[in-house]
Amino acid sequence: MAISKENVIFVYQKGNSDSLDVATDYANVHDLNTTFDVDAGDYEIRGQLVGVQCSSTEILDNETQFNTQVLTPLQDALASASIADVRSVWCIILGYKVPGGFRSESDTISSTSRIARINHAFSKKTNNILYNRADFQRFDATDAQTALITSRIDAPNVLLAKEYVKSASNMRIQYTTNGKFYLDAYSNQIGSQAELYEDMLEAFREFVLPTLNLETHTTTFLDPYIDVVIPYVNGDSYVWSWFTDRSSASFFQSSDKKRAFFYNADFDGALSMRDTSNRRWPYLAMNAGYTATAGAMSNPTIQGLLNPSPFFITLFRRGTIGEAYLFSLPFLDWTMTLFGDPLAIVAFPDVTFEETTDIGEDESWRLMSIDTAKAMAYLLKKESDTENVRQTIIDSTDIDLEIATLYPSNEWAILNNESSRKSQIQVLAEQLFSYPEHRFQYAGLSITYPTINTYLSDKNLKVSELLTELFDEKVSDSYIHPEGWWQAERVIQQETQFFSRYHFQLRVSNTDDFSTILYTIRSWENPLNWFYEKELNHFEVIPSGGIPSNYATRRVRYESETTEYLTRAFVYCFEIRQYDMVSQTLFSPRYFSDIIWT
Amino acid sequence: MISTSRYKTLSDQISDAQIDGEKATDAVEDMRGHLYDSEVPLTDITKDRMYLIVNRRLSDFIGSHRTYIDALTTLVSLLQGHVEKNNELINDWLLNNSVQVTPTFALISAAAGYPIDPNNVEDGEYVVCL
């Protein structure tokens, strides 16, 4: 079930009528419950509004002050019957005059980032396991155990705060944003991390931005020491830039388009939302009418900057801005803050997302080739089994048994002999091997009317000899798996609520109780033949540091080495276990069996 | 007279062969599924033609390997009849000799006219690898 208004709590400063006023405005926009429930001293509850007894200081001196004024009262409120018995809280918004952060050594920790992990102990700059998941999922109850969606609506004065809420009201139902997308992928930041972030932005520009169907304005790379800037925006709905960290209100020219989300990747944009002389981006963007924006209260490091791809993939797939932010945020208990309405949902012009379970054509062909080879391998095994039945009867010294059962056992064996086996598969294999030629006779491959060898070469595929031996047409040896070659493939699981880097252990046995172990293979000892599904249906060698846990739901694959080949048409048992490099934990085993189909 | 060990060997071999045929049929069924789920629309003539052929072949597999063909049921019927001719009723013989057959063999035997009591059927004891 996706997040709804029922999962939201809005926090205000207890005893401050302006703060309550802003909270009530937000409640009215989303039709939240505001019925007074309880005054418990440190906190009070009015339906989905929670007042905490806090100071008006924007940045508290330390974690202790923050815990006393914000975290603990809020924890108590969430645990109270008025909330715990009524709703599951997935989203918390910190309102007007609620502290926006606290100092921790040289860092300023964002209140929203800390509150996102309200159910966990403070762990500065902890990895966000919901960040950039390889396969998109909407935020759900399981995710909420890890981190909550949080945002902040604060301003120098109550009128501005109420204006920000009003901006949110324009997006309370899915709103088609058809303004321009301004993207600035270049900055004057240098070093390997800066290059990686530029690569990230360029990947976004190449692969995700075109799917949004928006008019785009992008900057051009000039020189590594020159920060190319967007001079101004007009008619804009989205801005994603880095690094120039100060600007002015004149940057935002008039726009008749709905402004949805603004982000400038810099190091202190979110330091203050209450300073009227503020020239930092989040403050300017909110004043320009943006529904939401984000920024850092102190240096988040370049690795801590938001990633645009998961952000806009989430929006494209009808997630809220709060979800998009959380999925694009590398660290929690850290310096980044989302400002504005986390429940806003946007749409993009003339594009709709349709959920599909279709398999890519080449992956479909690969799977079919394995299916056909497995069918052949099982028939080969059945041929052997029926022959064994006949031989057992022949070997019997019981003449009566032999007389009674030899004829039907012989008939059964003949029905499953080599000739029968091959004739059963022949038609399937013919269809499979002629499919590429017919499907791609005019386009799609390096030549028209591709032969099976061309197809296998172009797609980097191999097939089983059990199939190729059925044909006169020669499939090149280069595209045939050696006899006994095998692979083991399983979906990567999310084993914990914490960020992990997974490696894998595979054990292979020829007994179903694993009393005999043929091989024990560990990716952390030698990742060479281990692969993970980095992009859908595209596998790469597992890095020596393991696979980040955001690849859970993707596949891991092991391909056997020559010395590990197994017997054709025999069934073997496999046990796979994930190993977390971070906590050095070997997780529970999963078992499966497979026939050797090569 | 058939020994219990030879009977057990035979019944297990028959069971294994039947299971292998069923697994082969499963694989053809998977092939049909992977073709159907491919991103290519079913209106594509190449996919449509292949789908029809795979579907037809799947029906053949089901007929040959998921059902109990005559040669198989005749074999099992004669095997069980042989035991009863020389001993006692099949279920009593199995019980008295502590022989248990696989669930698959029990199903074939029932189809051959010799139902097996649950006591004489392996309970599919826990194995880690299925």
Side-chain angles (χ1 to χ4, degrees), chain A residues 358-359 361 364 371 381-382 385 388 392 398 401 404 424 431 435 439 512 514 573 591 593, chain B residues 1-2 6 13 17 20 30-31 34 37-40 44 50 53 65 78 82 128-130:
Chain A
D358 289 351
I359 307 170
E361 186 164 26
S364 161
D371 296 333
K381 187 164 179 290
K382 185 173 185 179
D385 286 333
N388 288 341
T392 301
D398 183 344
L401 173 70
Q424 289 179 75
Q431 282 298 309
Y435 185 79
R439 270 288 299 158
D512 59 14
F514 281 80
C573 293
Y591 299 99
S593 62
Chain B
M1 187 172 68
I2 190 169
R6 191 169 299 273
Q13 286 172 338
D20 290 337
D30 287 346
M31 181 188 186
H34 288 135
D37 289 341
S38 130
E39 64 190 351
V40 181
D44 177 86
M50 184 169 173
I53 290 170
H65 301 290
L78 290 169
H82 174 76
V128 292
C129 170
L130 299 173

mmCIF file of all heavy atoms in Angstrom, chain A residues 358-359 361 364 371 381-382 385 388 392 398 401 404 424 431 435 439 512 514 573 591 593, chain B residues 1-2 6 13 17 20 30-31 34 37-40 44 50 53 65 78 82 128-130:
data_model
loop_
_atom_site.group_PDB
_atom_site.id
_atom_site.type_symbol
_atom_site.label_atom_id
_atom_site.label_comp_id
_atom_site.label_asym_id
_atom_site.label_seq_id
_atom_site.Cartn_x
_atom_site.Cartn_y
_atom_site.Cartn_z
ATOM 1 N N ASP A 358 6.848 -7.499 -18.908
ATOM 2 C CA ASP A 358 7.403 -8.069 -20.132
ATOM 3 C C ASP A 358 8.903 -8.312 -19.982
ATOM 4 O O ASP A 358 9.613 -7.567 -19.311
ATOM 5 C CB ASP A 358 7.179 -7.124 -21.318
ATOM 6 C CG ASP A 358 5.717 -7.080 -21.716
ATOM 7 O OD1 ASP A 358 4.949 -7.908 -21.192
ATOM 8 O OD2 ASP A 358 5.357 -6.225 -22.532
ATOM 9 N N ILE A 359 9.369 -9.341 -20.675
ATOM 10 C CA ILE A 359 10.793 -9.661 -20.678
ATOM 11 C C ILE A 359 11.377 -9.148 -21.982
ATOM 12 O O ILE A 359 10.759 -9.284 -23.045
ATOM 13 C CB ILE A 359 10.999 -11.186 -20.594
ATOM 14 C CG1 ILE A 359 10.241 -11.770 -19.402
ATOM 15 C CG2 ILE A 359 12.472 -11.524 -20.505
ATOM 16 C CD1 ILE A 359 10.208 -13.281 -19.397
ATOM 17 N N GLU A 361 13.358 -8.982 -25.383
ATOM 18 C CA GLU A 361 13.312 -10.043 -26.390
ATOM 19 C C GLU A 361 14.536 -10.968 -26.322
ATOM 20 O O GLU A 361 14.404 -12.191 -26.418
ATOM 21 C CB GLU A 361 13.202 -9.416 -27.780
ATOM 22 C CG GLU A 361 13.000 -10.453 -28.856
ATOM 23 C CD GLU A 361 12.518 -9.839 -30.155
ATOM 24 O OE1 GLU A 361 12.799 -8.651 -30.377
ATOM 25 O OE2 GLU A 361 11.871 -10.546 -30.930
ATOM 26 N N SER A 364 14.356 -13.081 -23.262
ATOM 27 C CA SER A 364 13.340 -14.107 -23.499
ATOM 28 C C SER A 364 13.932 -15.261 -24.309
ATOM 29 O O SER A 364 13.727 -16.436 -23.983
ATOM 30 C CB SER A 364 12.155 -13.475 -24.234
ATOM 31 O OG SER A 364 11.379 -14.454 -24.862
ATOM 32 N N ASP A 371 15.439 -23.275 -21.272
ATOM 33 C CA ASP A 371 14.281 -24.152 -21.040
ATOM 34 C C ASP A 371 14.330 -25.367 -21.961
ATOM 35 O O ASP A 371 14.105 -26.506 -21.526
ATOM 36 C CB ASP A 371 12.969 -23.386 -21.297
ATOM 37 C CG ASP A 371 12.765 -22.230 -20.338
ATOM 38 O OD1 ASP A 371 13.288 -22.298 -19.211
ATOM 39 O OD2 ASP A 371 12.089 -21.254 -20.726
ATOM 40 N N LYS A 381 17.854 -37.885 -19.116
ATOM 41 C CA LYS A 381 17.873 -38.591 -17.832
ATOM 42 C C LYS A 381 16.767 -39.650 -17.788
ATOM 43 O O LYS A 381 16.967 -40.758 -17.279
ATOM 44 C CB LYS A 381 17.693 -37.571 -16.698
ATOM 45 C CG LYS A 381 17.865 -38.148 -15.304
ATOM 46 C CD LYS A 381 18.071 -37.044 -14.280
ATOM 47 C CE LYS A 381 18.226 -37.597 -12.872
ATOM 48 N NZ LYS A 381 16.999 -38.156 -12.335
ATOM 49 N N LYS A 382 15.622 -39.299 -18.358
ATOM 50 C CA LYS A 382 14.527 -40.275 -18.367
ATOM 51 C C LYS A 382 14.894 -41.475 -19.240
ATOM 52 O O LYS A 382 14.554 -42.619 -18.921
ATOM 53 C CB LYS A 382 13.241 -39.610 -18.876
ATOM 54 C CG LYS A 382 12.026 -40.542 -18.794
ATOM 55 C CD LYS A 382 10.713 -39.852 -19.121
ATOM 56 C CE LYS A 382 9.536 -40.796 -18.898
ATOM 57 N NZ LYS A 382 8.237 -40.167 -19.172
ATOM 58 N N ASP A 385 16.917 -43.598 -17.130
ATOM 59 C CA ASP A 385 16.126 -44.243 -16.070
ATOM 60 C C ASP A 385 15.293 -45.405 -16.618
ATOM 61 O O ASP A 385 15.196 -46.471 -15.985
ATOM 62 C CB ASP A 385 15.193 -43.222 -15.408
ATOM 63 C CG ASP A 385 15.967 -42.275 -14.499
ATOM 64 O OD1 ASP A 385 17.025 -42.674 -13.992
ATOM 65 O OD2 ASP A 385 15.502 -41.140 -14.311
ATOM 66 N N ASN A 388 17.443 -48.220 -17.236
ATOM 67 C CA ASN A 388 17.793 -48.863 -15.963
ATOM 68 C C ASN A 388 16.684 -49.805 -15.494
ATOM 69 O O ASN A 388 16.950 -50.882 -14.944
ATOM 70 C CB ASN A 388 18.043 -47.801 -14.883
ATOM 71 C CG ASN A 388 19.341 -47.066 -15.102
ATOM 72 O OD1 ASN A 388 20.210 -47.551 -15.823
ATOM 73 N ND2 ASN A 388 19.477 -45.897 -14.495
ATOM 74 N N THR A 392 17.283 -53.656 -14.858
ATOM 75 C CA THR A 392 17.033 -54.258 -13.537
ATOM 76 C C THR A 392 16.188 -55.519 -13.681
ATOM 77 O O THR A 392 16.416 -56.526 -12.995
ATOM 78 C CB THR A 392 16.318 -53.233 -12.618
ATOM 79 O OG1 THR A 392 17.143 -52.086 -12.498
ATOM 80 C CG2 THR A 392 16.047 -53.811 -11.241
ATOM 81 N N ASP A 398 14.621 -63.753 -11.157
ATOM 82 C CA ASP A 398 13.229 -64.179 -11.042
ATOM 83 C C ASP A 398 12.643 -64.280 -12.453
ATOM 84 O O ASP A 398 12.275 -63.265 -13.057
ATOM 85 C CB ASP A 398 12.473 -63.151 -10.187
ATOM 86 C CG ASP A 398 11.026 -63.545 -9.954
ATOM 87 O OD1 ASP A 398 10.531 -64.426 -10.676
ATOM 88 O OD2 ASP A 398 10.401 -62.947 -9.057
ATOM 89 N N LEU A 401 9.156 -62.818 -12.950
ATOM 90 C CA LEU A 401 9.144 -61.347 -13.027
ATOM 91 C C LEU A 401 9.570 -60.903 -14.425
ATOM 92 O O LEU A 401 8.951 -60.014 -15.019
ATOM 93 C CB LEU A 401 10.099 -60.759 -11.978
ATOM 94 C CG LEU A 401 10.311 -59.245 -12.071
ATOM 95 C CD1 LEU A 401 9.043 -58.495 -11.655
ATOM 96 C CD2 LEU A 401 11.482 -58.798 -11.198
ATOM 97 N N ALA A 404 6.889 -61.505 -16.911
ATOM 98 C CA ALA A 404 5.731 -60.626 -16.713
ATOM 99 C C ALA A 404 6.006 -59.189 -17.132
ATOM 100 O O ALA A 404 5.137 -58.520 -17.712
ATOM 101 C CB ALA A 404 5.300 -60.668 -15.244
ATOM 102 N N GLN A 424 11.234 -35.396 -29.976
ATOM 103 C CA GLN A 424 10.354 -34.560 -29.143
ATOM 104 C C GLN A 424 10.868 -33.120 -29.047
ATOM 105 O O GLN A 424 10.089 -32.177 -28.934
ATOM 106 C CB GLN A 424 10.246 -35.160 -27.735
ATOM 107 C CG GLN A 424 9.440 -36.449 -27.682
ATOM 108 C CD GLN A 424 9.396 -37.016 -26.267
ATOM 109 O OE1 GLN A 424 8.690 -36.502 -25.411
ATOM 110 N NE2 GLN A 424 10.158 -38.064 -26.025
ATOM 111 N N GLN A 431 12.332 -24.180 -34.008
ATOM 112 C CA GLN A 431 11.636 -22.904 -33.848
ATOM 113 C C GLN A 431 12.530 -21.882 -33.151
ATOM 114 O O GLN A 431 12.613 -20.723 -33.550
ATOM 115 C CB GLN A 431 10.365 -23.110 -33.027
ATOM 116 C CG GLN A 431 9.218 -23.705 -33.789
ATOM 117 C CD GLN A 431 8.785 -22.812 -34.939
ATOM 118 O OE1 GLN A 431 8.549 -21.625 -34.757
ATOM 119 N NE2 GLN A 431 8.690 -23.382 -36.132
ATOM 120 N N TYR A 435 14.009 -18.440 -34.964
ATOM 121 C CA TYR A 435 13.310 -17.236 -34.489
ATOM 122 C C TYR A 435 14.083 -15.948 -34.794
ATOM 123 O O TYR A 435 13.506 -15.003 -35.354
ATOM 124 C CB TYR A 435 13.034 -17.379 -32.988
ATOM 125 C CG TYR A 435 12.217 -16.272 -32.374
ATOM 126 C CD1 TYR A 435 10.831 -16.224 -32.519
ATOM 127 C CD2 TYR A 435 12.823 -15.272 -31.624
ATOM 128 C CE1 TYR A 435 10.082 -15.217 -31.935
ATOM 129 C CE2 TYR A 435 12.084 -14.262 -31.034
ATOM 130 C CZ TYR A 435 10.720 -14.238 -31.188
ATOM 131 O OH TYR A 435 9.986 -13.237 -30.617
ATOM 132 N N ARG A 439 12.624 -12.914 -36.974
ATOM 133 C CA ARG A 439 12.276 -11.683 -36.253
ATOM 134 C C ARG A 439 13.107 -10.492 -36.724
ATOM 135 O O ARG A 439 12.641 -9.369 -36.743
ATOM 136 C CB ARG A 439 12.521 -11.877 -34.745
ATOM 137 C CG ARG A 439 11.340 -12.400 -33.981
ATOM 138 C CD ARG A 439 10.246 -11.369 -33.810
ATOM 139 N NE ARG A 439 10.724 -10.203 -33.060
ATOM 140 C CZ ARG A 439 10.158 -9.026 -33.124
ATOM 141 N NH1 ARG A 439 9.125 -8.808 -33.910
ATOM 142 N NH2 ARG A 439 10.631 -8.021 -32.407
ATOM 143 N N ASP A 512 21.082 -34.697 -1.696
ATOM 144 C CA ASP A 512 20.101 -33.671 -1.332
ATOM 145 C C ASP A 512 20.183 -33.252 0.132
ATOM 146 O O ASP A 512 19.530 -32.292 0.532
ATOM 147 C CB ASP A 512 18.680 -34.100 -1.721
ATOM 148 C CG ASP A 512 18.272 -35.402 -1.059
ATOM 149 O OD1 ASP A 512 18.964 -35.832 -0.110
ATOM 150 O OD2 ASP A 512 17.264 -35.978 -1.482
ATOM 151 N N PHE A 514 23.208 -32.622 1.443
ATOM 152 C CA PHE A 514 24.533 -31.972 1.459
ATOM 153 C C PHE A 514 25.555 -32.752 2.296
ATOM 154 O O PHE A 514 26.458 -32.171 2.879
ATOM 155 C CB PHE A 514 24.422 -30.518 1.940
ATOM 156 C CG PHE A 514 23.941 -29.587 0.870
ATOM 157 C CD1 PHE A 514 22.590 -29.502 0.575
ATOM 158 C CD2 PHE A 514 24.823 -28.828 0.118
ATOM 159 C CE1 PHE A 514 22.132 -28.679 -0.435
ATOM 160 C CE2 PHE A 514 24.379 -28.012 -0.898
ATOM 161 C CZ PHE A 514 23.035 -27.929 -1.172
ATOM 162 N N CYS A 573 22.505 -30.283 -6.181
ATOM 163 C CA CYS A 573 21.906 -29.384 -5.197
ATOM 164 C C CYS A 573 22.851 -28.211 -4.915
ATOM 165 O O CYS A 573 24.071 -28.388 -4.856
ATOM 166 C CB CYS A 573 21.635 -30.137 -3.903
ATOM 167 S SG CYS A 573 20.366 -31.384 -4.130
ATOM 168 N N TYR A 591 18.275 -22.936 -0.675
ATOM 169 C CA TYR A 591 18.614 -24.164 -1.397
ATOM 170 C C TYR A 591 17.832 -24.268 -2.700
ATOM 171 O O TYR A 591 16.680 -23.835 -2.784
ATOM 172 C CB TYR A 591 18.289 -25.386 -0.533
ATOM 173 C CG TYR A 591 19.057 -25.424 0.759
ATOM 174 C CD1 TYR A 591 18.465 -24.999 1.957
ATOM 175 C CD2 TYR A 591 20.370 -25.878 0.800
ATOM 176 C CE1 TYR A 591 19.170 -25.018 3.149
ATOM 177 C CE2 TYR A 591 21.078 -25.899 1.988
ATOM 178 C CZ TYR A 591 20.475 -25.469 3.156
ATOM 179 O OH TYR A 591 21.175 -25.480 4.339
ATOM 180 N N SER A 593 17.837 -26.862 -6.585
ATOM 181 C CA SER A 593 18.495 -27.908 -7.367
ATOM 182 C C SER A 593 18.344 -27.578 -8.841
ATOM 183 O O SER A 593 17.465 -26.810 -9.238
ATOM 184 C CB SER A 593 17.873 -29.273 -7.064
ATOM 185 O OG SER A 593 16.515 -29.276 -7.429
ATOM 186 N N MET B 1 10.763 -65.390 -6.975
ATOM 187 C CA MET B 1 10.048 -64.362 -6.203
ATOM 188 C C MET B 1 10.922 -63.103 -6.104
ATOM 189 O O MET B 1 12.121 -63.222 -5.850
ATOM 190 C CB MET B 1 9.742 -64.894 -4.802
ATOM 191 C CG MET B 1 8.872 -63.989 -4.005
ATOM 192 S SD MET B 1 8.374 -64.757 -2.470
ATOM 193 C CE MET B 1 9.925 -64.824 -1.587
ATOM 194 N N ILE B 2 10.331 -61.953 -6.312
ATOM 195 C CA ILE B 2 11.106 -60.706 -6.300
ATOM 196 C C ILE B 2 11.570 -60.366 -4.881
ATOM 197 O O ILE B 2 10.803 -60.516 -3.909
ATOM 198 C CB ILE B 2 10.284 -59.552 -6.913
ATOM 199 C CG1 ILE B 2 11.178 -58.327 -7.127
ATOM 200 C CG2 ILE B 2 9.071 -59.223 -6.062
ATOM 201 C CD1 ILE B 2 10.526 -57.252 -7.967
ATOM 202 N N ARG B 6 15.128 -55.560 -4.793
ATOM 203 C CA ARG B 6 14.933 -55.356 -6.230
ATOM 204 C C ARG B 6 13.616 -54.608 -6.483
ATOM 205 O O ARG B 6 13.536 -53.747 -7.347
ATOM 206 C CB ARG B 6 14.944 -56.695 -6.971
ATOM 207 C CG ARG B 6 15.007 -56.527 -8.492
ATOM 208 C CD ARG B 6 15.290 -57.834 -9.198
ATOM 209 N NE ARG B 6 16.566 -58.421 -8.832
ATOM 210 C CZ ARG B 6 17.719 -58.127 -9.440
ATOM 211 N NH1 ARG B 6 17.745 -57.255 -10.425
ATOM 212 N NH2 ARG B 6 18.835 -58.701 -9.053
ATOM 213 N N GLN B 13 13.272 -46.505 -9.579
ATOM 214 C CA GLN B 13 13.679 -46.165 -10.952
ATOM 215 C C GLN B 13 12.468 -45.716 -11.779
ATOM 216 O O GLN B 13 12.549 -44.767 -12.561
ATOM 217 C CB GLN B 13 14.347 -47.378 -11.616
ATOM 218 C CG GLN B 13 15.750 -47.654 -11.089
ATOM 219 C CD GLN B 13 16.321 -48.969 -11.610
ATOM 220 O OE1 GLN B 13 15.585 -49.869 -12.022
ATOM 221 N NE2 GLN B 13 17.645 -49.078 -11.578
ATOM 222 N N ALA B 17 12.028 -41.929 -13.346
ATOM 223 C CA ALA B 17 11.779 -41.708 -14.776
ATOM 224 C C ALA B 17 10.530 -40.858 -14.975
ATOM 225 O O ALA B 17 10.504 -39.940 -15.814
ATOM 226 C CB ALA B 17 11.631 -43.043 -15.492
ATOM 227 N N ASP B 20 11.299 -37.270 -14.060
ATOM 228 C CA ASP B 20 12.112 -36.623 -15.101
ATOM 229 C C ASP B 20 11.240 -36.155 -16.257
ATOM 230 O O ASP B 20 11.432 -35.058 -16.797
ATOM 231 C CB ASP B 20 13.193 -37.583 -15.609
ATOM 232 C CG ASP B 20 14.262 -37.831 -14.561
ATOM 233 O OD1 ASP B 20 14.421 -36.976 -13.670
ATOM 234 O OD2 ASP B 20 14.913 -38.881 -14.625
ATOM 235 N N ASP B 30 7.705 -23.669 -19.159
ATOM 236 C CA ASP B 30 8.464 -22.439 -18.898
ATOM 237 C C ASP B 30 8.830 -21.749 -20.212
ATOM 238 O O ASP B 30 8.789 -20.520 -20.313
ATOM 239 C CB ASP B 30 9.757 -22.748 -18.129
ATOM 240 C CG ASP B 30 9.488 -23.107 -16.680
ATOM 241 O OD1 ASP B 30 8.368 -22.861 -16.204
ATOM 242 O OD2 ASP B 30 10.402 -23.660 -16.027
ATOM 243 N N MET B 31 9.188 -22.557 -21.200
ATOM 244 C CA MET B 31 9.549 -21.983 -22.501
ATOM 245 C C MET B 31 8.353 -21.222 -23.085
ATOM 246 O O MET B 31 8.499 -20.096 -23.577
ATOM 247 C CB MET B 31 9.975 -23.106 -23.449
ATOM 248 C CG MET B 31 10.383 -22.612 -24.821
ATOM 249 S SD MET B 31 10.630 -23.988 -25.944
ATOM 250 C CE MET B 31 11.272 -23.122 -27.366
ATOM 251 N N HIS B 34 8.013 -17.972 -21.158
ATOM 252 C CA HIS B 34 9.022 -16.962 -21.495
ATOM 253 C C HIS B 34 8.779 -16.371 -22.880
ATOM 254 O O HIS B 34 9.098 -15.208 -23.117
ATOM 255 C CB HIS B 34 10.428 -17.570 -21.397
ATOM 256 C CG HIS B 34 10.857 -17.812 -19.985
ATOM 257 N ND1 HIS B 34 11.455 -18.976 -19.560
ATOM 258 C CD2 HIS B 34 10.751 -17.031 -18.884
ATOM 259 C CE1 HIS B 34 11.705 -18.892 -18.258
ATOM 260 N NE2 HIS B 34 11.286 -17.714 -17.826
ATOM 261 N N ASP B 37 5.712 -13.989 -22.334
ATOM 262 C CA ASP B 37 6.047 -12.774 -21.583
ATOM 263 C C ASP B 37 7.029 -11.861 -22.310
ATOM 264 O O ASP B 37 7.345 -10.779 -21.807
ATOM 265 C CB ASP B 37 6.666 -13.147 -20.223
ATOM 266 C CG ASP B 37 5.638 -13.743 -19.286
ATOM 267 O OD1 ASP B 37 4.437 -13.536 -19.525
ATOM 268 O OD2 ASP B 37 6.029 -14.423 -18.321
ATOM 269 N N SER B 38 7.517 -12.300 -23.436
ATOM 270 C CA SER B 38 8.464 -11.451 -24.168
ATOM 271 C C SER B 38 7.790 -10.144 -24.584
ATOM 272 O O SER B 38 6.578 -10.094 -24.792
ATOM 273 C CB SER B 38 8.984 -12.215 -25.392
ATOM 274 O OG SER B 38 8.887 -11.444 -26.534
ATOM 275 N N GLU B 39 8.593 -9.117 -24.690
ATOM 276 C CA GLU B 39 8.053 -7.789 -25.019
ATOM 277 C C GLU B 39 7.456 -7.723 -26.425
ATOM 278 O O GLU B 39 6.743 -6.779 -26.763
ATOM 279 C CB GLU B 39 9.161 -6.747 -24.895
ATOM 280 C CG GLU B 39 10.304 -6.956 -25.881
ATOM 281 C CD GLU B 39 11.502 -6.066 -25.589
ATOM 282 O OE1 GLU B 39 11.393 -5.180 -24.748
ATOM 283 O OE2 GLU B 39 12.551 -6.304 -26.208
ATOM 284 N N VAL B 40 7.745 -8.722 -27.241
ATOM 285 C CA VAL B 40 7.204 -8.730 -28.606
ATOM 286 C C VAL B 40 5.699 -8.992 -28.525
ATOM 287 O O VAL B 40 5.269 -9.929 -27.855
ATOM 288 C CB VAL B 40 7.879 -9.836 -29.444
ATOM 289 C CG1 VAL B 40 7.342 -9.832 -30.860
ATOM 290 C CG2 VAL B 40 9.385 -9.664 -29.420
ATOM 291 N N ASP B 44 2.666 -10.181 -33.473
ATOM 292 C CA ASP B 44 3.806 -10.421 -34.355
ATOM 293 C C ASP B 44 3.704 -11.838 -34.914
ATOM 294 O O ASP B 44 3.568 -12.811 -34.163
ATOM 295 C CB ASP B 44 5.106 -10.256 -33.565
ATOM 296 C CG ASP B 44 6.327 -10.562 -34.423
ATOM 297 O OD1 ASP B 44 6.786 -9.648 -35.110
ATOM 298 O OD2 ASP B 44 6.776 -11.730 -34.416
ATOM 299 N N MET B 50 5.383 -19.267 -33.554
ATOM 300 C CA MET B 50 6.185 -20.053 -32.612
ATOM 301 C C MET B 50 5.357 -20.448 -31.390
ATOM 302 O O MET B 50 5.466 -21.570 -30.882
ATOM 303 C CB MET B 50 7.411 -19.244 -32.184
ATOM 304 C CG MET B 50 8.354 -20.014 -31.283
ATOM 305 S SD MET B 50 9.912 -19.130 -31.086
ATOM 306 C CE MET B 50 10.716 -20.133 -29.854
ATOM 307 N N ILE B 53 3.187 -23.412 -32.118
ATOM 308 C CA ILE B 53 3.960 -24.664 -32.211
ATOM 309 C C ILE B 53 4.411 -25.134 -30.830
ATOM 310 O O ILE B 53 4.308 -26.319 -30.502
ATOM 311 C CB ILE B 53 5.161 -24.467 -33.172
ATOM 312 C CG1 ILE B 53 4.627 -24.333 -34.598
ATOM 313 C CG2 ILE B 53 6.148 -25.608 -33.057
ATOM 314 C CD1 ILE B 53 5.649 -23.891 -35.619
ATOM 315 N N HIS B 65 4.232 -37.377 -20.760
ATOM 316 C CA HIS B 65 5.057 -37.389 -19.542
ATOM 317 C C HIS B 65 4.336 -37.001 -18.260
ATOM 318 O O HIS B 65 4.798 -37.358 -17.177
ATOM 319 C CB HIS B 65 6.263 -36.458 -19.733
ATOM 320 C CG HIS B 65 7.125 -36.838 -20.900
ATOM 321 N ND1 HIS B 65 7.903 -37.963 -20.910
ATOM 322 C CD2 HIS B 65 7.301 -36.249 -22.110
ATOM 323 C CE1 HIS B 65 8.549 -38.044 -22.073
ATOM 324 N NE2 HIS B 65 8.195 -37.018 -22.813
ATOM 325 N N LEU B 78 1.678 -55.123 -13.838
ATOM 326 C CA LEU B 78 2.248 -56.471 -13.877
ATOM 327 C C LEU B 78 3.232 -56.692 -12.730
ATOM 328 O O LEU B 78 3.312 -57.792 -12.174
ATOM 329 C CB LEU B 78 2.940 -56.694 -15.228
ATOM 330 C CG LEU B 78 1.970 -56.808 -16.419
ATOM 331 C CD1 LEU B 78 2.720 -56.755 -17.743
ATOM 332 C CD2 LEU B 78 1.142 -58.090 -16.318
ATOM 333 N N HIS B 82 2.605 -59.407 -9.947
ATOM 334 C CA HIS B 82 3.624 -60.432 -9.711
ATOM 335 C C HIS B 82 3.869 -60.609 -8.212
ATOM 336 O O HIS B 82 3.982 -61.741 -7.717
ATOM 337 C CB HIS B 82 4.920 -60.023 -10.419
ATOM 338 C CG HIS B 82 6.076 -60.926 -10.128
ATOM 339 N ND1 HIS B 82 6.209 -62.181 -10.703
ATOM 340 C CD2 HIS B 82 7.141 -60.775 -9.306
ATOM 341 C CE1 HIS B 82 7.312 -62.744 -10.244
ATOM 342 N NE2 HIS B 82 7.900 -61.901 -9.397
ATOM 343 N N VAL B 128 16.946 -30.863 2.430
ATOM 344 C CA VAL B 128 17.184 -29.425 2.303
ATOM 345 C C VAL B 128 17.110 -28.971 0.859
ATOM 346 O O VAL B 128 16.839 -27.814 0.558
ATOM 347 C CB VAL B 128 18.551 -29.023 2.895
ATOM 348 C CG1 VAL B 128 18.530 -29.204 4.394
ATOM 349 C CG2 VAL B 128 19.680 -29.797 2.268
ATOM 350 N N CYS B 129 17.381 -29.872 -0.055
ATOM 351 C CA CYS B 129 17.459 -29.483 -1.452
ATOM 352 C C CYS B 129 16.349 -30.153 -2.222
ATOM 353 O O CYS B 129 16.261 -31.376 -2.229
ATOM 354 C CB CYS B 129 18.817 -29.912 -2.000
ATOM 355 S SG CYS B 129 18.955 -29.751 -3.754
ATOM 356 N N LEU B 130 15.470 -29.391 -2.822
ATOM 357 C CA LEU B 130 14.320 -29.951 -3.533
ATOM 358 C C LEU B 130 14.478 -29.774 -5.027
ATOM 359 O O LEU B 130 15.078 -28.836 -5.463
ATOM 360 C CB LEU B 130 13.039 -29.278 -3.060
ATOM 361 C CG LEU B 130 12.749 -29.451 -1.573
ATOM 362 C CD1 LEU B 130 11.547 -28.612 -1.181
ATOM 363 C CD2 LEU B 130 12.501 -30.911 -1.240
#
